[in-house]
Amino acid sequence: MTSTAPHRPRRTLRQRLTYLSYGGLVGALVLLLASATPSLLPRGWFFQGVISGGAAAVGYALGVLITWLARFMVSRSEPWPKPQRFWWWALAFVAVFDAAVMFYWYVRWQNDLRDLMGVDRIGYSAIPKVLAVAFVAFPVLMAIGKFWGIGLRWVIALLRDLVPPRLATVVGGALVVALTVALVNGVLVENVMKVLNNSFAAANNETKADTSAPTSTLRSGGPGSTVSWDSLGREGRSNVADGPTVAQLTAFNGTPAMEPIRVYAGLDSAPDLGAIADAAVAELERTGGLKRKVIAVGSSTGSGWLNKAYIDSLEYMYNGDTALVSMQYSYLPSWISFLVDKERARQAGIQLFEAVSEKVREIPEAQRPKLVVFGESLGSFAGESPFGSIPTIAARTDGALFTGPTFNNQLWLDTTLDRDDGSPEVMPVWGKGKQVRFIADETDLGRPDAPWPGNRIVYIQHASDPITWWNPGLLFREPDWLKEPRGRDVLPAMHWIPVVSFLQVSADMAVAVNVPDTHGHHYLRAIPFSWAKILEPEGWTPEKTQRLVPLLKRDG
């Protein structure tokens, strides 16, 4: 059977790469303008340019897809008629005018947000820089998409010799998408992960400046330690070498202090996660940590990092009569481990807590130390992994403190979704606050105004923390935290926009700690106030907490 359809000459590769779809450009303009709206954190011109360029590329792809779907649904074999010159000029005028208006507001919104967080303002000179970066990112990303589209058309053309055209289109699209996912997961990701692992493994062998092997037998890597100094890793060495001295503790509290115990096991300390946890607990026993007033089980981020404010606060509050135990489970930094290493984080959290808990339960109940758990970011995910519910944490520990939870924290997520009626997602109340409190700063510890008996749990989470509020669902679903009244450090002008909000919050994650304390993913001040409320150390006062805050730091 001979086709009577008019023959259309095939476009060359150059023509396909330089061809611009009118519908695609409309979509690109819409998302480019939407990308200027505010997000959770202040954005500099470079990040804004990348976001705007990425949003425009996604908008272009959506515009092309919608145009093609419309043609496909009405069984039209030929492309829609090319718009007349008037429409191109009209699009150009709208693009220039609307871009000028939206990026004027971009500067206004950014400065409102910067004032809210106490960071430097930007000027209107940022606008051309933003657009320059966007106009570089957009064509690069669009070209990648065009190459993908060329491959798709080639596969569909091959299939049309075997099956009807519409079936060829559907099957070809499914095959190319499946092949793309397989290549990305099986080739690209695998090779990228090898490079990253090798790179961060090398970094793990480095030692931070002003960090040296301890001379105390109460520190891992020191004299008599069952794990070597070199095996602790970069962050582990920092964790055990840092902290207040006996003299500093004595001066602060006005009474003779004990030397705090800090034990740690690194990835190179034992062959697998279970053995690493056992090595850390063996260190706890060796140093006499089971005889201290408080044992703090710290779940680290991927590379082994711990927020030092957690540990230092406890050591000051108990005048050194404490023992820290922690372990490393990855070479990768938290945000990469968050994406690819969650199961190792979960297993590490379970293995370490269960190993410590077993030893504590062997001690007569009247003589047992207080057992607390803590973690930040991916560490909070690992730290809550041994427990299936809030009551379980309360039953198995003497307190828990988690900061900056991630969307993968199942216990946190379940508790948030099951929050009491009328409480917002960014500051939920669960079970009338009888066991757990969700706070943004220390002033929220009294919320709700209700009894807080028994063992206490606190989650510290900022309304502006992208690590906490990022979720793949942001692509196409408005979250409760944007439906409800905004958190105290989120602009009312922030609104959910499909695709764009996902790109914005994703970019915010890259600069999440580059803001002052009490904003973004920067947690410090509320930590000692929370420990004081959770544990109520004997002789400790709110005035002491105020004096302690300036002495604390997140990193060693």
Side-chain angles (χ1 to χ4, degrees):
M1 180 176 177
T2 304
S3 172
T4 58
H7 174 70
R8 284 192 295 117
R10 293 180 179 272
R11 292 194 184 105
T12 65
L13 177 62
R14 180 179 178 183
Q15 287 173 327
R16 289 194 182 278
L17 289 175
T18 57
Y19 170 77
L20 293 176
S21 161
Y22 189 86
L25 289 177
V26 171
L29 177 60
V30 170
L31 291 200
L32 171 71
L33 299 177
S35 73
T37 58
S39 185
L40 292 173
L41 297 177
R43 297 194 300 267
W45 60 267
F46 180 79
F47 267 108
Q48 181 60 52
V50 171
I51 295 167
S52 294
V58 172
Y60 185 89
L62 290 174
V64 171
L65 176 63
I66 292 170
T67 302
W68 176 84
L69 278 175
R71 182 159 60 92
F72 184 79
M73 295 303 292
V74 299
S75 300
R76 182 184 175 91
S77 59
E78 294 296 310
W80 300 107
K82 190 174 182 179
Q84 296 178 355
R85 182 174 297 181
F86 166 80
W87 293 107
W88 289 96
W89 280 108
L91 180 62
F93 174 80
V94 170
V96 171
F97 179 80
D98 285 0
V101 172
M102 283 301 294
F103 281 97
Y104 163 80
W105 278 103
Y106 155 74
V107 174
R108 292 280 301 271
W109 285 321
Q110 284 296 304
N111 285 333
D112 287 345
L113 187 55
R114 287 163 182 268
D115 291 344
L116 187 63
M117 296 189 176
V119 297
D120 293 340
R121 294 179 132 230
I122 60 171
Y124 291 103
S125 60
I127 295 176
K129 297 176 184 177
V130 169
L131 295 177
V133 174
F135 289 149
V136 171
F138 171 58
V140 170
L141 294 172
M142 186 171 63
I144 294 172
K146 281 179 174 287
F147 275 114
W148 187 86
I150 289 169
L152 173 62
R153 290 188 183 92
W154 179 73
V155 171
I156 291 173
L158 290 179
L159 290 174
R160 280 180 174 172
D161 294 334
L162 305 173
V163 296
R166 291 172 71 85
L167 182 59
T169 301
V170 174
V171 173
L175 284 174
V176 171
V177 169
L179 180 61
T180 301
V181 172
L183 286 174
V184 169
N185 287 335
V187 178
L188 182 61
V189 170
E190 182 178 345
N191 285 292
V192 168
M193 290 309 301
K194 284 181 181 178
V195 172
L196 290 174
N197 262 312
N198 291 335
S199 174
F200 287 111
N204 188 62
N205 293 326
E206 299 173 357
T207 300
K208 292 183 179 181
D210 301 323
T211 299
S212 57
T215 57
S216 169
T217 59
L218 301 183
R219 303 289 172 112
S220 293
S225 176
T226 58
V227 293
S228 69
W229 171 251
D230 290 338
S231 75
L232 301 182
R234 182 172 185 264
E235 296 297 344
R237 290 190 285 272
S238 174
N239 290 330
V240 300
D242 199 25
T245 65
V246 171
Q248 289 170 327
L249 294 172
T250 299
F252 184 90
N253 288 300
T255 56
M258 299 178 67
E259 181 182 353
I261 291 173
R262 293 193 180 193
V263 299
Y264 190 93
L267 266 181
D268 298 329
S269 298
D272 56 55
L273 290 179
I276 295 171
D278 290 340
V281 174
E283 280 288 280
L284 187 66
E285 290 186 284
R286 177 190 68 81
T287 56
L290 293 169
K291 298 177 181 179
R292 293 299 175 98
K293 281 187 179 179
V294 176
I295 297 175
V297 181
S299 291
S300 69
T301 62
S303 61
W305 181 85
L306 295 169
N307 186 331
K308 305 303 188 294
Y310 278 110
I311 315 164
D312 293 357
S313 295
L314 289 174
E315 291 173 351
Y316 275 102
M317 289 176 182
Y318 285 89
N319 211 21
D321 197 1
T322 60
L324 163 75
V325 56
S326 186
M327 64 179 278
Q328 180 187 18
Y329 53 84
S330 175
Y331 293 128
L332 302 174
S334 186
W335 69 273
I336 300 178
S337 295
F338 169 75
L339 296 174
V340 302
D341 234 4
K342 293 189 294 292
E343 182 57 24
R344 284 185 65 83
R346 189 179 73 85
Q347 288 297 329
I350 294 172
Q351 298 271 11
L352 182 61
F353 177 79
E354 295 298 346
V356 174
S357 179
E358 181 181 356
K359 293 298 180 183
V360 171
R361 289 197 305 271
E362 293 174 358
I363 303 170
E365 189 170 355
Q367 301 171 25
R368 288 177 189 171
K370 289 183 180 294
L371 178 61
V372 298
V373 295
F374 70 85
E376 179 164 306
S377 194
L378 190 62
S380 71
F381 169 82
E384 69 171 32
S385 293
F387 315 103
S389 66
I390 293 297
T392 305
I393 299 180
R396 300 195 64 194
T397 74
D398 294 282
L401 177 56
F402 301 119
T403 53
T406 76
F407 85 97
N408 276 315
N409 287 40
Q410 194 60 51
L411 194 157
W412 168 81
L413 180 61
D414 290 344
T415 305
T416 301
L417 292 175
D418 193 35
R419 63 189 182 272
D420 294 356
D421 291 343
S423 63
E425 185 174 27
V426 295
M427 195 70 67
V429 173
W430 184 85
K432 299 182 180 179
K434 290 181 179 179
Q435 290 178 313
V436 61
R437 301 282 168 98
F438 294 84
I439 71 169
D441 59 44
E442 66 274 14
T443 63
D444 299 317
L445 286 165
R447 175 185 170 274
D449 184 11
W452 197 1
N455 300 335
R456 298 171 176 179
I457 302 138
V458 172
Y459 280 92
I460 311 175
Q461 53 195 49
H462 300 150
S464 59
D465 187 351
I467 303 297
T468 296
W469 307 116
W470 183 90
N471 190 304
L474 272 173
L475 276 166
F476 304 113
R477 185 179 69 250
E478 183 178 11
D480 286 349
W481 56 272
L482 283 176
K483 292 178 183 176
E484 298 163 346
R486 306 294 181 267
R488 66 189 62 164
D489 59 347
V490 176
L491 289 182
M494 181 180 179
H495 298 284
W496 177 74
I497 303 171
V499 179
V500 173
S501 292
F502 173 82
L503 294 175
Q504 290 177 324
V505 177
S506 297
D508 287 340
M509 292 171 70
V511 293
V513 297
N514 299 339
V515 288
D517 184 22
T518 73
H519 303 293
H521 201 59
H522 191 144
Y523 295 92
L524 193 148
R525 178 181 173 84
I527 290 173
F529 286 95
S530 298
W531 274 138
K533 193 69 173 178
I534 290 168
L535 293 170
E536 298 185 312
E538 185 179 351
W540 191 261
T541 64
E543 292 74 24
K544 280 190 172 183
T545 308
Q546 293 287 359
R547 285 200 294 123
L548 176 59
V549 171
L551 303 179
L552 299 178
K553 56 188 177 182
R554 296 183 74 248
D555 207 356

